[in-house]
Amino acid sequence: MSMVTEAQVKNAIPTDQELIDFVVREARLIDQQRFDEWLNLYADDAFYWMPLEWNQTDPRLTCSLMYEDKLLLSIRVERLKGARTFSQKPKSRCHHVLQTPQVDSRDPAANNYVTWTPMHYIETRMDEQTLYAAWATHHLSVENGRLKIKLKRVDLINCDAAFGNIQLFM
Amino acid sequence: MTRYAGNVAAIRDLVRDQEVHRDVYVSEEVFQLEMEHMFPNSWVYVGHDSQVPNPGDYFGTTIGTQPILLVRHTDGTVKVLHNRCPHKGTRITSETCGNAGKFFRCPYHAWSFRTDGSLLAIPLKKGYENTGFEQSHAASGMAPVRHVRNYRGFVFAKINDGGLDFEEFFGESLSSFDNMIDRSPVGQLKVAGGVLRYMHNCNWKMLVENQTDTCHPMVAHESSAGTVVEVWKKAPPGTKKPMAVEIIAPFMSPYEFFENMGIRIWDNGHGHTGVHHSIHSDYSAVPGYFEKMKAAYGEERAKAILGENRHNTVYFPNIMIKGPIQLLRHFKPIAANKTLVESWTFQLVDAPDMLLERTLMYNRLINAPTSIVGHDDLEMYERAQEGLHSNGNEWVNLQRLYSPDEAGQTNVAVNGTSEWPMRHQFRAWTKFMTMGM
C-alpha cells in the first residue's frame, strides 16, 4: 500500500487539478481504511451529509441517513477499531469508482470551492457485496495552506430505498 | 411437509412458560400461519391520519404481507382497502402515497372505484350483462377491511371478523398513545421528517422482543454508546454536552439503571419499559416548550404529561412507540428470515421545532441503516437467525425473573430487566395464532 501524502496547495487559490486530486485522494483514504488520515481532511466545523430524500434541502427538520459533525465522525472511526465492535468482525471493505470530479464553482473571496463527483461505491462483508450509485458534492476551503472539507454531501440514487447495513463511508 | 397447519396442539407446544421453540423464528410454515391467522386476528397498525389529510389521499402499506391502502374517503373518514383490483388482482396504486381524486382507476383495464372501494364503473359494461356479474366477487369492488379504528389519529385495522374489539384488545395500553399525543399543546401529532427503512435478515419477532430487552444495551452497544462515552470524556471541561451525546450515552447505563427503570405488563402482549425513568429522562429542556404546555394544560397537568418517561411501549403484534420523542417503529414481516423496519417520526403540532430536530437526530443515530447502534443490533439478530439452525438445542430461553403465577396478571409493574414482556408476547402470540383455527 503506497503512501499518498497530503499535498499543500501551491498557491493561495487552488487549481482545478488540486481540487480534483483532493477528492480522489479522499476516496482512496477510505478504500485503504486510513480513517484517521481521512478524518484530518475535514475542517473542525465540517459536516458529512447523506440525505434521505431526493433533492433534500433541509438536514434539520427532514431526516437524513447521516448528518454528522466531526465529533460523530470521530466516534465512528474509533468504533471501527473497537475490540467489541461485533458488526465489524470480520471487517467490512469498500471500493470507490469515481468519475472525474467536476469543479462546479470556485469562489476565492469566500474561500469556497464546490466539486461534483458521480461514483459507484461497493461495500462488502463476508459473502455479501452491495453496489451503491451516488453523487458526492464536496464543499472545500483552504485552511493553513491545505484543502479541507467543509461539507461532503452524498446523494444516493436510491436514497429512499430500504437498505441493510451501510457501515463504512461513501 | 406441513407440521403446524390446522394443528393447534403443535402450535401451542411451540411456546412453553420459560422457553419457545426455534420454529417460531425459522419455520416458513409458522410464518405463513402467522400471516393467515395471527395478523388477521389482531388489531394491526396501518398509518397515521395526517398522512391522508384530504379526500382522495391514500397511503399504501401492508398488514402482515397483504397490500392495503389507507384512504381518506369523500365523507372525511379514513378507510382501509385491500390494494388489488377485483378484476385481475393488479395493485391499484403505484406510488406509496398520493391523491386519487374522486376515484381510483385501475391502470390495467380502467375499472374505477370510489374511495370507499365500491365499484364505480367498468368500460364496455354491457359485456357483463346477463353474466351474473352482480353475484361475483368483483362486483363489490376493492374489498374494504371492515374493522378499522382511528384512535386520536393512529389508524388500526383487523382483517378478520372474529377476535377482540378494539378496546378489549388494547385495554389500558392506549395510555402510551395518549401521553405521546398529549405532549402537543393542542393534542395533535403530524407525521414529519420522512421514514427510515432498514432491511433486516431476521424474524420480525426478534425486533419486537428487543424493544423490551434491557440487558443488551450495555453489552451489544458497548461498541457504539461505549465509544461515545469514551470520546466525550476527552472533551475540554465545560464543553456543552451535544444533543447526540445526550441521546446515545445513556445506552451505556448500568444494569441497576435498567432494573430500577421498571417494566409494565398489560393484556394481549402489550407492555412498556420505563415505568419510573428511562434513557429519555435527562434530555435538556427545549426553550419555550414548557411554557406552551403550561398555557395549554395548566402547570400540574403539563408536569404530569412531561413527567412520564416511558421508554419503549410495545403494541402486539408489531409496533413500538417512544412517547417522549414521538417515534414509532413498525416491524413489517416479509418472510420468516426477513423484516422491513420502518421508523416513523411525528411533529408535536404547535410545539417548538427543536423537539422534532431532536427526534430526527435520535432516529438517524439509532434507527438508520447507517446507524452504528443499528449495526450493533442487526449483527445480533442475524447471528441468532443463523445460530437457530443448530439442532444442538431447539429452544430459546426467556426465563429471566420468571414467576409461575405471572400468566393472567395484567397492569403490573415489575423489575426492568425481566423477560416477562417476551413471555407475555408469546402468550398473546399463541392466543391470536390459534384463535378460530
Side-chain angles (χ1 to χ4, degrees), chain B residues 146-401:
Chain B
R146 281 208 294 277
H147 308 281
V148 176
R149 182 63 181 271
N150 182 350
Y151 186 80
R152 300 187 67 183
F154 290 85
V155 181
F156 293 83
K158 180 167 66 73
I159 287 178
N160 283 354
D161 289 336
L164 307 179
D165 68 29
F166 182 84
E167 280 73 17
E168 200 182 357
F169 184 82
F170 284 113
E172 295 173 69
S173 71
L174 292 169
S175 58
S176 282
F177 269 113
D178 288 335
N179 181 257
M180 182 159 83
I181 299 161
D182 290 344
R183 285 167 179 265
S184 152
V186 294
Q188 202 185 335
L189 300 187
K190 201 176 156 195
V191 165
V195 56
L196 285 169
R197 303 171 68 238
Y198 192 175
M199 198 61 84
H200 283 52
N201 291 320
C202 68
N203 189 270
W204 63 276
K205 294 185 291 301
M206 289 184 186
L207 280 135
V208 178
E209 281 171 40
N210 183 256
Q211 306 310 306
T212 58
D213 183 324
T214 55
C215 284
H216 87 282
M218 67 298 284
V219 182
H221 299 306
E222 184 185 338
S223 89
S224 49
T227 304
V228 169
V229 171
E230 289 308 310
V231 170
W232 179 239
K233 273 183 193 160
K234 293 175 203 147
T239 314
K240 188 182 177 297
K241 193 190 265 192
M243 199 185 266
V245 176
E246 272 192 1
I247 286 171
I248 308 185
F251 282 66
M252 282 310 280
S253 303
Y255 287 114
E256 300 76 52
F257 175 93
F258 290 102
E259 288 196 299
N260 296 331
M261 164 169 130
I263 283 176
R264 186 176 281 116
I265 304 290
W266 290 301
D267 276 334
N268 298 317
H270 316 306
H272 79 90
T273 49
V275 177
H276 310 294
H277 59 266
S278 77
I279 60 167
H280 306 306
S281 298
D282 294 327
Y283 293 166
S284 299
V286 169
Y289 176 47
F290 184 72
E291 289 67 26
K292 282 211 153 191
M293 289 293 284
K294 196 169 110 180
Y297 293 101
E299 185 163 357
E300 197 181 334
R301 174 89 182 106
K303 280 185 173 163
I305 292 167
L306 301 177
E308 281 286 344
N309 274 296
R310 298 183 186 190
H311 169 226
N312 291 343
T313 298
V314 169
Y315 289 99
F316 181 88
N318 67 329
I319 61 166
M320 178 278 277
I321 68 167
K322 284 181 173 292
I325 56 166
Q326 301 84 52
L327 196 149
L328 183 151
R329 301 186 78 201
H330 194 169
F331 309 110
K332 296 176 115 175
I334 293 175
N337 60 358
K338 195 165 190 178
T339 305
L340 173 62
V341 183
E342 291 183 347
S343 297
W344 294 87
T345 45
F346 300 86
Q347 183 164 31
L348 297 166
V349 175
D350 206 27
D353 280 348
M354 193 186 278
L355 288 155
L356 177 61
E357 183 179 351
R358 179 162 66 198
T359 294
L360 295 179
M361 179 180 276
Y362 186 98
N363 211 21
R364 72 172 180 266
L365 289 177
I366 311 298
N367 297 326
T370 36
S371 153
I372 53 179
V373 175
H375 299 160
D376 293 337
D377 279 325
L378 181 52
E379 177 71 11
M380 297 307 132
Y381 305 142
E382 292 187 347
R383 287 193 194 194
Q385 194 72 31
E386 285 177 33
L388 288 173
H389 285 88
S390 158
N391 290 335
N393 171 8
E394 297 185 2
W395 297 88
V396 168
N397 188 285
L398 302 174
Q399 199 156 1
R400 193 178 161 71
L401 292 168

